[in-house]
Amino acid sequence: MAKRVLTTESGAPVADNQNSATAGAGGPILLQDQHLLEKLARFNRERIPERVVHARGSGAYGYFEVTDDVTGFTRADFLSEVGKRTETFIRFSTVADSLGGADAVRDPRGFALKFYTNEGNYDLVGNNTPVFFIKDPIKFPDFIHSQKRDPFTGKQEPDNVWDFWAHSPEATHQVTWLMGDRGIPASYRHMNGYGSHTYQWTNAEGEAFFVKYHFKTNQGVRSLSGEQAAELVGKDANSHQTDLLQAIERGVNPSWTLHVQVMPAAEAAEYRFNPFDLTKVWPHSDYPLQRVGRLVLDRNPDNVFAEVEQAAFSPNNFVPGIGPSPDKMLQGRLFAYADAHRYRLGVNHTQLPVNAPKAAEVDNYGRDGVHATRYGSRHDKNYEPNSYAGPAQTDAALAAPLAIHGWTGTHEAPAHTKDDDFFQAGELFRLMSQDEKGRLVATIAGGLSQVTRDDVIEKNLAHFHAADADYGKRVEEAVRALRED
């Protein structure tokens, strides 16, 4: 077997990769050592800006297989027949910490899935919780600032975390999820995933439905207590990455069953909860889960940087038969996600292998920019319309149109009959066993008792009282006991 030759970036062979060129045996290094300068310059640029949120992540390839007929609800081709398989890539992540953070922490988990369909890539960007802390994207930068490192102390501050929640009562539902037993998944394999937002499906007849996605883990839900998580972080800060990597390498391929809740579009206006409010769920008694298929992960990335760190997901990557809803948080993310990737990876990030379509051909007039690799033939034009048989629009909308009315301006979301910030948080609390309630209260009190301002504590306690009288009473008593110690 021929020996492989080390080369420079330009392909020239490298004579010596152990010693820099110098002026004499003991002299200073020479500026003419092109190989040394190239290595150091490249090394200085090997890191790209990390994601502001979801920086710490793991990923894997797999496939999605349709198990049930859903053609009555959507004309999406990758869901068009039972047994059809579509290649996928998934990225799991924590939300608040940096790239070097630990895996086993109390934090929501990202659940971002890319389907390489033959109609283009479809990205479904969600979390391991069905709800979120806020309902309007204008609050998102402030929310994240409150959860990240304080600009003075350089660490996460309970005062900041709970002060924001004190002024954002709609967060009570998600806080109850986060502080509950499922707040620290034992691994990425042992948690559910949710589309979280409301999306639109449109069938071949043009009928519109609103849907919510639920990926139920087939490994069973397993979570860690705060004490177990702290011990695991001390042993292996990369515990979830380790678990996912080793499971797939052993051939123990994790899987999830996808269900959807389906709401006919005509029912949305009169539903008891605002169906487009990200802080709310649709009770299963109103809209039962309907099985769609299964997601299986069976291949690890070859290079974590190239395929996980550079993976770019955007909820505005739809395919025919699937589209957005009036969900305000989703509407904001339609812009923000793609813009974040253009900043981090460049305007041509969609040409990177992990992001490029695998089962569909890209044919448009996008040209140039940093790292452009797709130019077309020398006869292709870069404008439209043209007289040179270039690609043209289909005139077929991806999804059904949404009716809009009213005056422009800043508006609060319209209230539905059961809309408030506390009812569903109380419902979640009342579903818990006594042991679960005890652990939830202890976790909340452990953080809230560290807050230095009494008014912030009182505002948060009022939220738990509003959700459920017993919930509020128990949290208040637990906080008081910890502050008196």
Side-chain angles (χ1 to χ4, degrees):
M1 183 176 178
K3 184 178 179 181
R4 296 170 61 185
V5 174
L6 178 65
T7 73
T8 65
E9 295 290 333
S10 61
V14 173
D16 191 338
N17 195 44
Q18 313 304 316
N19 303 286
S20 302
T22 59
I29 287 176
L30 297 175
L31 188 62
Q32 71 184 41
D33 190 340
Q34 182 263 348
H35 178 51
L36 169 67
L37 300 187
E38 183 178 80
K39 283 186 72 175
L40 293 180
R42 181 182 182 88
F43 180 75
N44 287 343
R45 293 162 174 79
E46 283 184 354
R47 295 296 176 266
I48 60 177
E50 70 174 43
R51 292 166 169 87
V52 177
V53 289
H54 296 279
R56 171 71 184 163
S58 302
Y61 291 95
Y63 62 87
F64 179 80
E65 181 177 13
V66 179
T67 58
D68 294 77
D69 182 11
V70 291
T71 55
F73 306 120
T74 179
R75 61 186 176 93
D77 186 74
F78 78 101
L79 299 174
S80 61
E81 58 182 292
V82 172
K84 188 162 190 172
R85 286 189 177 187
T86 300
E87 185 179 355
T88 62
F89 181 79
I90 194 167
R91 186 177 186 270
F92 305 106
S93 56
T94 55
V95 174
D97 215 339
S98 60
L99 186 59
D103 287 341
V105 294
R106 188 173 296 277
D107 199 16
R109 300 300 191 276
F111 195 97
L113 188 60
K114 188 181 296 290
F115 298 83
Y116 299 102
T117 89
N118 58 9
E119 295 180 303
N121 289 353
Y122 171 47
D123 289 355
L124 181 60
V125 180
N127 285 325
N128 71 326
T129 59
V131 293
F132 197 61
F133 298 94
I134 54 176
K135 63 181 74 174
D136 194 303
I138 203 168
K139 298 182 70 171
F140 189 75
D142 299 293
F143 164 62
I144 293 301
H145 288 166
S146 76
Q147 310 296 301
K148 301 281 272 188
R149 298 177 186 272
D150 182 87
F152 172 66
T153 67
K155 60 190 182 71
Q156 191 179 48
E157 292 292 345
D159 276 351
N160 301 353
V161 171
W162 289 96
D163 186 40
F164 183 88
W165 289 342
H167 292 87
S168 304
E170 70 269 27
T172 308
H173 193 188
Q174 172 72 323
V175 169
T176 304
W177 271 90
L178 179 62
M179 301 299 173
D181 280 0
R182 296 192 181 188
I184 313 177
S187 78
Y188 291 131
R189 297 183 297 128
H190 294 93
M191 68 180 194
N192 294 335
Y194 302 88
S196 301
H197 295 288
T198 299
Y199 294 91
Q200 186 204 80
W201 276 7
T202 309
N203 65 18
E205 288 71 43
E207 297 175 291
F209 303 86
F210 293 119
V211 300
K212 283 186 175 290
Y213 295 87
H214 300 251
F215 288 85
K216 300 291 188 179
T217 175
N218 294 324
Q219 291 70 237
V221 172
R222 285 179 48 202
S223 303
L224 302 173
S225 67
E227 295 76 17
Q228 290 172 322
E231 181 180 356
L232 182 57
V233 167
K235 291 179 179 178
D236 181 7
N238 306 301
S239 57
H240 289 28
Q241 165 68 14
T242 300
D243 176 86
L244 182 66
L245 174 74
Q246 292 182 351
I248 295 175
E249 288 298 292
R250 295 195 312 269
V252 181
N253 297 331
S255 66
W256 288 258
T257 299
L258 172 61
H259 300 80
V260 292
Q261 290 177 283
V262 181
M263 175 188 293
E267 297 180 12
E270 301 302 322
Y271 185 48
R272 57 188 175 132
F273 305 110
N274 181 350
F276 312 117
D277 181 346
L278 188 55
T279 68
K280 304 288 195 301
V281 298
W282 304 351
H284 293 180
S285 57
D286 294 346
Y287 295 98
L289 296 180
Q290 302 188 45
R291 193 176 67 175
V292 180
R294 66 186 185 118
L295 169 69
V296 179
L297 305 182
D298 59 6
R299 180 165 67 89
N300 284 309
D302 293 325
N303 185 287
V304 172
F305 176 82
E307 298 166 273
V308 180
E309 183 64 11
Q310 292 194 133
F313 301 84
S314 178
N316 63 9
N317 287 339
F318 292 114
V319 292
I322 303 177
S325 78
D327 180 335
K328 292 176 78 172
M329 282 295 293
L330 173 60
Q331 292 284 325
R333 284 170 167 160
L334 296 180
F335 161 76
Y337 274 61
D339 188 59
H341 302 315
R342 294 184 190 106
Y343 157 68
R344 294 183 62 245
L345 303 170
V347 71
N348 290 305
H349 66 273
T350 54
Q351 297 179 30
L352 295 170
V354 69
N355 300 321
K358 297 181 184 296
E361 181 182 353
V362 175
D363 195 1
N364 58 39
Y365 298 95
R367 297 288 188 274
D368 306 338
V370 176
H371 302 147
T373 60
R374 189 177 64 242
Y375 300 106
S377 77
R378 62 180 179 174
H379 301 296
D380 284 345
K381 304 302 179 182
N382 65 343
Y383 60 88
E384 198 278 335
N386 63 58
S387 303
Y388 295 85
Q393 65 195 45
T394 66
D395 293 322
L398 269 64
L402 297 171
I404 59 173
H405 59 85
W407 299 94
T408 60
T410 57
H411 304 281
E412 291 187 10
H416 291 232
T417 56
K418 276 287 187 180
D419 271 344
D420 65 51
D421 293 324
F422 309 111
F423 176 80
Q424 289 200 351
E427 290 282 89
L428 179 58
F429 177 79
R430 289 184 285 273
L431 283 173
M432 296 179 180
S433 68
Q434 288 302 318
D435 286 345
E436 287 176 313
K437 290 178 180 177
R439 290 188 292 269
L440 169 67
V441 167
T443 301
I444 292 174
L448 190 54
S449 63
Q450 298 178 54
V451 174
T452 59
R453 288 182 49 171
D454 290 343
D455 62 320
V456 172
I457 294 175
E458 291 302 320
K459 285 180 180 177
N460 278 286
L461 290 176
H463 297 169
F464 300 123
H465 280 291
D468 182 273
D470 183 49
Y471 190 5
K473 178 173 179 284
R474 293 173 67 164
V475 173
E476 183 173 1
E477 290 174 348
V479 169
R480 183 185 306 117
L482 287 172
R483 285 169 65 83
E484 290 173 351
D485 283 349

